[in-house]
Amino acid sequence: MRIEDYALIGDMQSAALVGVDGSVDWLCLPRFDSPSCFTRLLGDESNGFWRLAAAGRERAVRRAYLEDTLILETVWETETGAARVIDFMPPRHANPDMVRIVEGLSGTVDMTTEIRIRFDYGRIVPWVRRIDGHLHAIGGPDSVWIHSPVPLKGGGFRHTAEFTVSAGQRLPFVFTWHPSHQPQPEVIDPIEEFVETRRLWEEWVSRCAHQGRWREAVVRSLITLKALTYSPTGGIVAAPTTSLPEHLGGVRNWDYRYCWLRDAAMTLDALTGSGYVEEAGAWRTWLLRAIAGRPEDIQVLYGVAGERRLPELTLDWLSGYEGARPVRLGNGAAGQLQLDIYGEVVNALYEARREGLAADSHTWALIGKLMRYLEHNWDQPDEGLWEVRGPRRHFVHSKVLVWVAFDRMVRSVEELGREGPVERWRAIRDRIHAEVCDKGYDPARNTFTQSYGSHELDASLLLIPIVGFLPPDDPRVVGTIEAIERELLVDGFVLRYPVAEDNAVDGLPGGEGAFLACSFWLAQARAMIGRKDEAVELFERLLELRNDVGLLAEEYDPGAERQLGNFPQAFSHIHLIRTALALS
């Protein structure tokens, strides 16, 4: 299926992707970054899935989330009646559970289910036995119990069942994971968990401060970001998937099931701007644990509990999504230098304080140490926002965000009453500003460039007015926006930067889709320079790219009219929210 044919369910510790065909094709347990037990998304049927659908039907007639929740309802219709499948993961108790309730709506419907459990990313076929009428699958450290209201027949390393549901009838299936060395877990009550899960999500959404235009899109994006938060620690993953390609059949396939400081800081900004200050406190606590230690050891990304060693491996037994290989585990970007993360983190903390997050002396002391490191290293070349795998460069965006770091520290002293070497910070801030305007600007073309002395453009330059580096009416800002519209727009959507087979910047072959966050940036930038109608038109066009349940991947292929990249992508939903708030 297409990437946009999937919907997300989760319990804020892990997540599953459910297809419009009723199949769970991706599920990692017990954490976002754990090995998957359903992996058909990146391989084939032999790598594991769980399908629950009307017999003889390939796709459901419609599906939607139940109001403002992460409970998915999929409706199946046949000649004899209609049935609904309710999918959700209740808030974590002792062990992770996934619940699938088949509910008869009218007449009778013949249903079918097929389950193939495959541990360790589709590689391990477990030992399955029947205990007290329930299925128990075990393989190495993993153990799964399936509580089924209908008998499941085994054969061919799978389990199947055919059954009929009548109007008013409810048949709940419960899938529970636990470590294989522990005893059998208690069985949850699926109906009670449904009621409680619905209540928790509705209570959380009721705190949303955004009541303006596009509220439905904002709320769905907020729910998605909350679903990507690892609740035990407050860490926020970039996406719940790995290796969904940025180019069909290509090699730009990355593992996003980790916590990028940049993405998490931007998520924090979107949440606090929508009234969720409590989440800001949880993320700040996660941040302090993750980056504690020497400032020079700070990483671009961490595991959900703050793990630092995330070696990049390939899972060669998987064929990849539509043949896009390699399938990767871990992410080598953890060892890169990306100077912009300092600006994102400092700005997020500054904005959270302005929104009411209580001051914390420990946080201020730690950030002060980071700033001392940055004072001596801001002028280094880096891999930049896009995590290029080519040579390090003096990326303009990186330098602009370093400016943001010093600017927000100055503001914290001047506006929020903090104490620090404000004169030194102000002097470095001004020096960076002058250097960027001198070395990162092409006066002949009236545009800033991707890096010092380069000819290429970069969509991240659209952030220059958004972060306050220059005012929107500055001719250099207007010129940069117009240059990006000339050179990076493809069918109305914005590319990150020019990509070609011989591209020396990112060091990778092949192309990619339009990066959705960049188009949201363009909408904001257009509004800031007085082109509000064009901004709204672009924003609403971007909203139309969401799938039927309101989710976005990382990129979009205008030619194939398909979403690309890991899904759902926090970065896309972050900038949907920020753009909606800006345009409102």
Side-chain angles (χ1 to χ4, degrees):
M1 291 187 296
R2 300 174 305 168
I3 291 171
E4 56 264 43
D5 286 334
Y6 288 96
L8 177 78
I9 59 173
D11 63 358
M12 288 166 285
Q13 294 193 43
S14 185
L17 293 188
V18 186
V20 74
D21 65 344
S23 181
V24 179
D25 287 349
W26 180 254
L27 174 61
C28 298
L29 293 172
R31 307 193 327 179
F32 290 109
D33 56 351
S34 297
S36 56
C37 54
F38 296 136
T39 318
R40 182 163 70 169
L41 181 70
L42 299 178
D44 54 34
E45 292 186 349
S46 67
N47 300 123
F49 67 97
W50 179 8
R51 186 162 190 254
L52 183 56
R57 294 290 189 269
E58 295 297 323
R59 298 170 67 95
V61 294
R62 62 184 178 277
R63 62 179 180 172
Y65 286 112
L66 176 62
E67 299 173 350
D68 291 337
T69 74
L70 201 65
I71 299 171
L72 180 68
E73 297 184 328
T74 304
V75 176
W76 299 87
E77 293 181 354
T78 69
E79 293 80 1
T80 58
R84 172 169 52 209
V85 176
I86 302 171
D87 289 317
F88 66 98
M89 294 178 69
R92 188 77 57 95
H93 298 292
N95 300 287
D97 301 286
M98 180 170 62
V99 176
R100 313 195 74 182
I101 302 173
V102 182
E103 183 179 50
L105 299 178
S106 65
T108 60
V109 178
D110 292 331
M111 302 289 296
T112 181
T113 189
E114 179 177 352
I115 305 173
R116 299 193 189 189
I117 302 171
R118 300 291 186 269
F119 296 129
D120 194 22
Y121 300 103
R123 190 170 63 92
I124 296 176
V125 179
W127 174 39
V128 181
R129 54 181 176 164
R130 199 178 307 275
I131 301 177
D132 297 329
H134 306 294
L135 287 186
H136 178 221
I138 188 169
D142 299 293
S143 176
V144 162
W145 290 83
I146 299 176
H147 304 280
S148 170
V150 297
L152 295 168
K153 179 182 178 181
F157 301 106
R158 62 177 184 163
H159 285 79
T160 62
E162 297 179 354
F163 58 98
T164 301
V165 62
S166 303
Q169 185 180 15
R170 281 182 171 181
L171 300 174
F173 296 76
V174 179
F175 178 100
T176 303
W177 179 95
H178 71 107
S180 60
H181 65 276
Q182 293 183 356
Q184 178 180 352
E186 293 185 11
V187 183
I188 63 170
D189 184 319
I191 305 303
E192 287 184 2
E193 294 297 334
F194 169 78
V195 173
E196 179 65 8
T197 302
R198 179 176 183 175
R199 183 189 66 81
L200 289 174
W201 278 111
E202 290 178 343
E203 283 187 0
W204 188 80
V205 170
S206 70
R207 294 164 45 201
C208 177
H210 180 72
Q211 301 296 330
R213 194 173 177 184
W214 307 296
R215 186 179 186 279
E216 175 273 329
V218 169
V219 167
R220 179 49 53 193
S221 292
L222 286 168
I223 291 172
T224 303
L225 295 181
K226 179 66 171 175
L228 298 180
T229 302
Y230 185 67
S231 59
T233 65
I236 302 167
V237 298
T241 57
T242 178
S243 302
L244 290 180
E246 298 171 12
H247 179 71
L248 294 175
V251 300
R252 297 171 184 265
N253 319 315
W254 314 109
D255 192 348
Y256 276 12
R257 301 170 300 153
Y258 307 110
C259 303
W260 271 254
L261 292 187
R262 175 191 308 107
D263 297 40
M266 289 182 172
T267 301
L268 174 66
D269 187 48
L271 289 169
T272 54
S274 303
Y276 292 97
V277 179
E278 179 181 331
E279 281 70 17
W283 178 79
R284 184 174 67 182
T285 302
W286 174 86
L287 174 72
L288 295 177
R289 290 194 303 267
I291 68 175
R294 298 189 307 168
E296 59 266 33
D297 294 333
I298 189 173
Q299 293 190 179
V300 175
L301 65 144
Y302 297 85
V304 294
E307 296 89 349
R308 299 192 178 201
R309 295 188 63 190
L310 307 172
E312 191 170 290
L313 310 170
T314 60
L315 307 181
D316 297 329
W317 62 87
L318 292 174
S319 58
Y321 178 83
E322 294 195 13
R325 301 182 70 187
V327 173
R328 290 185 170 91
L329 171 66
N331 200 302
Q336 289 188 349
L337 176 65
Q338 299 176 23
L339 293 171
D340 68 292
I341 62 174
Y342 294 91
E344 296 292 359
V345 168
V346 174
N347 180 68
L349 292 171
Y350 165 76
E351 293 294 344
R353 280 285 292 117
R354 292 183 65 197
E355 293 292 339
L357 182 65
D360 178 77
S361 58
H362 180 42
T363 304
W364 183 251
L366 182 58
I367 297 302
K369 289 184 178 180
L370 293 182
M371 294 307 295
R372 284 194 289 276
Y373 168 78
L374 196 57
E375 288 178 23
H376 300 288
N377 292 277
W378 69 265
D379 57 352
Q380 299 299 309
D382 71 345
E383 278 87 5
L385 166 71
W386 306 127
E387 303 181 345
V388 300
R389 304 217 169 184
R392 288 182 175 180
R393 297 168 182 255
H394 291 283
F395 288 104
V396 170
H397 172 265
S398 295
K399 296 299 191 286
V400 168
L401 266 293
V402 169
W403 175 91
V404 167
F406 286 100
D407 178 73
R408 300 318 188 251
M409 293 299 282
V410 170
R411 292 191 188 190
S412 294
V413 173
E414 295 176 343
E415 301 171 8
L416 303 177
R418 309 300 295 185
E419 294 183 359
V422 66
E423 294 300 330
R424 189 167 76 238
W425 289 338
R426 187 182 292 113
I428 297 174
R429 178 188 67 178
D430 295 344
R431 180 183 169 191
I432 297 170
H433 196 281
E435 181 180 289
V436 170
C437 292
D438 177 41
K439 298 182 179 180
Y441 174 71
D442 182 350
R445 298 161 63 207
N446 188 30
T447 181
F448 286 93
T449 57
Q450 184 180 58
S451 60
Y452 289 176
S454 71
H455 182 81
E456 293 87 1
L457 295 180
D458 193 302
S460 62
L461 301 171
L462 294 166
L463 293 169
I464 287 175
I466 295 172
V467 301
F469 183 83
L470 285 174
D473 58 357
D474 189 295
R476 292 167 293 184
V477 169
V478 177
T480 299
I481 295 170
E482 292 175 346
I484 288 173
E485 289 177 324
R486 288 193 304 269
E487 299 185 26
L488 293 184
L489 271 181
V490 175
D491 295 326
F493 301 103
V494 184
L495 300 177
R496 293 189 294 178
Y497 48 83
V499 175
E501 287 294 336
D502 58 349
N503 189 297
V505 175
D506 64 18
L508 294 167
E512 65 175 7
F515 202 81
L516 291 173
C518 300
S519 296
F520 285 119
W521 295 342
L522 179 59
Q524 290 186 62
R526 282 177 172 175
M528 295 183 76
I529 64 173
R531 295 162 56 186
K532 181 71 176 291
D533 290 344
E534 293 178 67
V536 171
E537 180 183 6
L538 174 57
F539 180 62
E540 293 188 335
R541 187 181 180 198
L542 289 167
L543 293 184
E544 292 175 357
L545 301 183
R546 298 178 302 154
N547 72 355
D548 56 327
V549 291
L551 301 181
L552 287 170
E554 183 180 31
E555 300 185 0
Y556 181 73
D557 184 339
E561 298 183 338
R562 292 184 59 177
Q563 294 193 31
L564 297 174
N566 284 304
F567 176 87
Q569 176 73 10
F571 214 61
S572 299
H573 286 280
I574 289 165
H575 293 291
L576 185 158
I577 296 168
R578 296 175 79 171
T579 306
L581 298 179
L583 297 184
S584 294

